[in-house]
Amino acid sequence: MIKILIAIPFFLCSCLTALPQNYHAIHGSSYAGSLGIANNPAAIINTPYSWDINLFSLQETTSTNAFTVLNYSLLSSAAKSQYRVDKGDFERYGKGNFNLHLFNARIALNRKTGIAFGMNVRGYLDAKTNKYNFIDTLRNFRNFLAINNSNTNLRGDMKSSNWLEFFGTYGRTLWDEEQSRLNGGITVKGTLGVAGGLVGIKGVSFTRTVQNNKPVYLVNAGSLRYGYSSTIDQWKKGRPSSKNIGDILMYAKGGVSLDLGMEYIIKPQYVTGYYGEDNHYDYEWKIAVSLLDLGTSKYEYSTQSREAGDPVINLSDMSLERKFNHISKIQDFNDSLGTVFTDLHPLTGSFTIINPARLVINVDRHLSSNFYLNGELSANLSSLAGENKLYSSELNFLTVTPRWETKIYGLYLPVQINAEHQFWVGGAIKAGPLLLGVHNLSNIFSKSKLQNGGGYLAIVLRSGSRTKAHRDSRYDCPK
């Protein structure tokens, strides 16, 4: 517990090792089907299959500069893996997200109208600190404060939001002309806030003095706020998981979220004959714009959530050492905290975390035969709510993906610059119902890059038939 308190900002970042929308390979693809809904609800229209079912898909992304995973890659055993806290005097950050899709289904009612529905579990974590110094030989508070003598305004924050969502999507062709087509779509999501949490540390400052010929550090100022959702308290050791999950869902707060999207399609400039191959779903350009995750997730504070300010006068590093030694549970931590701050009170009621709202612009170009080039720009919008609001954000920023793709097979090479200015080269393959990809190929070939990257796995069943055009009976041969 002592080490956690010494470097709380670091642990805010490193906690994303606990994490298990970014299926970059198939963004913009007409074969994406139900997998493309999360990137643009209008994508359910310009796909040739009469139906498809995403039985299962899992995606995970992490990015941090706070620590490094050693001796471990996706091709090696985890038995010898280690991690190293990255030493130095700099700002730290940690971000991660995951999503689990279960039984997402898309159905084409006809070529101009489609619906989709399903269930997803999603989670986001954002953590950041200002500049502070850290080395791996720290033993106590005094060591930490000694190497941070010039960093007198320590601060950091973390927020985590995890929710269950049930969604329904409706898409329709808005107009269809000789050379172009416009499709639109909307997704309405009912959500349950499964687990949320926040930590905020502000304005920590201290002074160095000498007592009994030894340096002593006195805390002058600082505030702390931490809270987590009451749903977490419902998980009891020794009970069946089904009972714990049922209680969590019973206490979860409900909410609503929206996705909106459009796709503008420039058709191929050639005409097939009456008995020629159907080219309804072909295109030269596909330009898509979407607004995603417009909504919030709401959580009820646990009774152990606290806000503290005004440290007691002459609070020394040795006093902190004694007060927080041998802490084993949150109640003990709160009791010790009451002896450190003159103003300590519980956080009550509820807190809201804004979902990772974003604007996504996707442009897909058919090059020739089965070759395509996709470009995507993703701009986070949730931060526009202001610094005093809690919000989640996406790691996506700019991605370019060349691909070779047929109905059954696909090869993809997404290249991206993410929101933390990291350059990743990923890769993915499709073989029948299986899609398998990684965000950063260094996760495979390097044993020190696993903390930055992630991957995805999806199993999608597709109809063997294409959605047929409505035939005008006036042109049928007379009987």
Side-chain angles (χ1 to χ4, degrees):
M1 193 66 191
I2 295 294
K3 293 182 179 179
I4 295 177
L5 291 171
I6 290 174
I8 285 178
F10 156 68
F11 283 96
L12 297 182
C13 295
S14 65
C15 64
L16 60 75
T17 56
L19 290 177
Q21 290 311 2
N22 305 313
Y23 299 84
H24 293 295
I26 49 79
H27 286 180
S29 169
S30 293
Y31 296 107
S34 53
L35 263 181
I37 297 170
N39 203 52
N40 192 321
I44 67 172
I45 300 300
N46 200 68
T47 185
Y49 313 119
S50 56
W51 59 264
D52 62 84
I53 301 174
N54 178 4
L55 291 178
F56 169 89
S57 61
L58 175 66
Q59 184 280 145
E60 171 268 343
T61 310
T62 58
S63 174
T64 183
N65 66 348
F67 66 95
T68 301
V69 177
L70 301 171
N71 303 320
Y72 187 37
S73 74
L74 294 177
L75 297 181
S76 65
S77 170
K80 297 182 179 180
S81 64
Q82 299 175 320
Y83 77 91
R84 177 192 68 214
V85 178
D86 293 335
K87 62 182 181 180
D89 194 14
F90 57 91
E91 297 179 356
R92 268 97 170 158
Y93 77 89
K95 302 184 77 169
N97 66 73
F98 76 93
N99 58 64
L100 172 64
H101 296 178
L102 293 172
F103 301 107
N104 290 192
R106 182 200 64 86
I107 302 172
L109 303 181
N110 51 58
R111 286 191 169 184
K112 293 188 176 183
T113 309
I115 59 172
F117 50 88
M119 179 181 73
N120 305 319
V121 181
R122 299 174 59 190
Y124 285 79
L125 182 143
D126 289 88
K128 62 181 178 180
T129 74
N130 69 336
K131 186 176 70 170
Y132 72 93
N133 199 2
F134 193 92
I135 58 176
D136 56 8
T137 56
L138 294 178
R139 294 186 299 171
N140 50 43
F141 283 107
R142 181 169 295 177
N143 293 157
F144 176 74
L145 296 177
I147 65 173
N148 282 280
N149 200 40
S150 61
N151 298 325
T152 58
N153 186 23
L154 298 175
R155 64 183 184 274
D157 68 80
M158 181 274 290
K159 55 263 188 186
S160 177
S161 183
N162 305 269
W163 68 91
L164 172 68
E165 64 184 27
F166 299 90
F167 74 89
T169 301
Y170 177 79
R172 182 172 177 80
T173 298
L174 302 178
W175 51 260
D176 192 356
E177 298 182 345
E178 182 178 354
Q179 296 184 340
S180 61
R181 181 186 308 122
L182 181 66
N183 297 327
I186 180 172
T187 297
V188 179
K189 293 176 279 190
T191 63
L192 289 173
V194 175
L198 59 96
V199 179
I201 303 172
K202 294 182 180 180
V204 177
S205 63
F206 53 92
T207 56
R208 183 181 184 274
T209 186
V210 177
Q211 296 178 3
N212 299 325
N213 297 321
K214 293 182 179 180
V216 175
Y217 294 88
L218 303 178
V219 178
N220 298 325
S223 63
L224 169 65
R225 181 176 68 146
Y226 61 91
Y228 62 91
S229 59
S230 60
T231 54
I232 297 175
D233 294 331
Q234 307 312 311
W235 190 275
K236 309 294 184 182
K237 290 184 179 180
R239 291 200 311 181
S241 297
S242 58
K243 174 62 175 174
N244 283 328
I245 293 173
D247 286 350
I248 287 174
L249 296 179
M250 183 179 299
Y251 280 82
K253 293 285 186 179
V256 177
S257 181
L258 292 176
D259 294 344
L260 303 170
M262 288 189 175
E263 282 189 344
Y264 178 70
I265 295 168
I266 299 177
K267 300 178 182 180
Q269 302 306 303
Y270 60 84
V271 179
T272 60
Y274 183 81
Y275 295 103
E277 184 179 356
D278 180 14
N279 70 337
H280 178 80
Y281 299 100
D282 296 342
Y283 57 89
E284 290 190 357
W285 293 89
K286 185 195 299 180
I287 303 169
V289 178
S290 57
L291 287 169
L292 304 176
D293 287 318
L294 303 177
T296 61
S297 295
K298 191 174 183 179
Y299 306 94
E300 190 80 20
Y301 276 117
S302 164
T303 57
Q304 300 303 319
S305 303
R306 295 289 186 272
E307 186 169 28
D310 296 329
V312 299
I313 298 174
N314 295 326
L315 178 64
S316 69
D317 58 271
M318 292 302 295
S319 179
L320 285 172
E321 195 87 30
R322 290 191 301 268
K323 291 178 182 297
F324 290 99
N325 212 353
H326 307 300
I327 297 294
S328 60
K329 55 185 179 180
I330 187 65
Q331 291 85 351
D332 295 339
F333 179 82
N334 286 339
D335 291 341
S336 294
L337 204 66
T339 66
V340 172
F341 290 92
T342 60
D343 178 17
L344 176 67
H345 56 271
L347 292 170
T348 58
S350 60
F351 62 100
T352 298
I353 300 180
I354 300 171
N355 291 345
R358 58 203 183 275
L359 169 68
V360 177
I361 301 173
N362 187 286
V363 179
D364 204 73
R365 170 64 169 166
H366 179 217
L367 301 176
S368 64
S369 185
N370 297 314
F371 291 93
Y372 301 82
L373 182 65
N374 183 266
E376 181 172 286
L377 177 67
S378 180
N380 284 312
L381 303 177
S382 53
S383 60
L384 298 178
E387 294 184 358
N388 295 326
K389 299 292 186 179
L390 299 173
Y391 60 86
S392 302
S393 59
E394 268 285 356
L395 265 168
N396 294 347
F397 176 56
L398 181 63
T399 307
V400 177
T401 306
R403 72 178 187 273
W404 174 88
E405 187 179 36
T406 67
K407 175 182 178 180
I408 300 176
Y409 302 107
L411 296 174
Y412 313 86
L413 191 68
V415 178
Q416 64 171 306
I417 299 174
N418 65 24
E420 295 298 334
H421 309 109
Q422 293 175 316
F423 179 75
W424 292 351
V425 178
I429 59 171
K430 180 179 74 174
L434 176 67
L435 175 69
L436 181 64
V438 292
H439 299 313
N440 186 0
L441 288 173
S442 294
N443 295 166
I444 298 175
F445 301 111
S446 172
K447 291 189 176 182
S448 62
K449 302 291 185 181
L450 200 63
Q451 70 278 0
N452 290 304
Y456 42 98
L457 167 69
I459 300 175
V460 182
L461 302 180
R462 300 175 177 87
S463 166
S465 60
R466 294 165 67 93
T467 305
K468 297 180 180 179
H470 175 71
R471 291 286 303 276
D472 192 330
S473 60
R474 292 176 299 174
Y475 298 105
D476 290 345
C477 296
K479 295 181 180 179

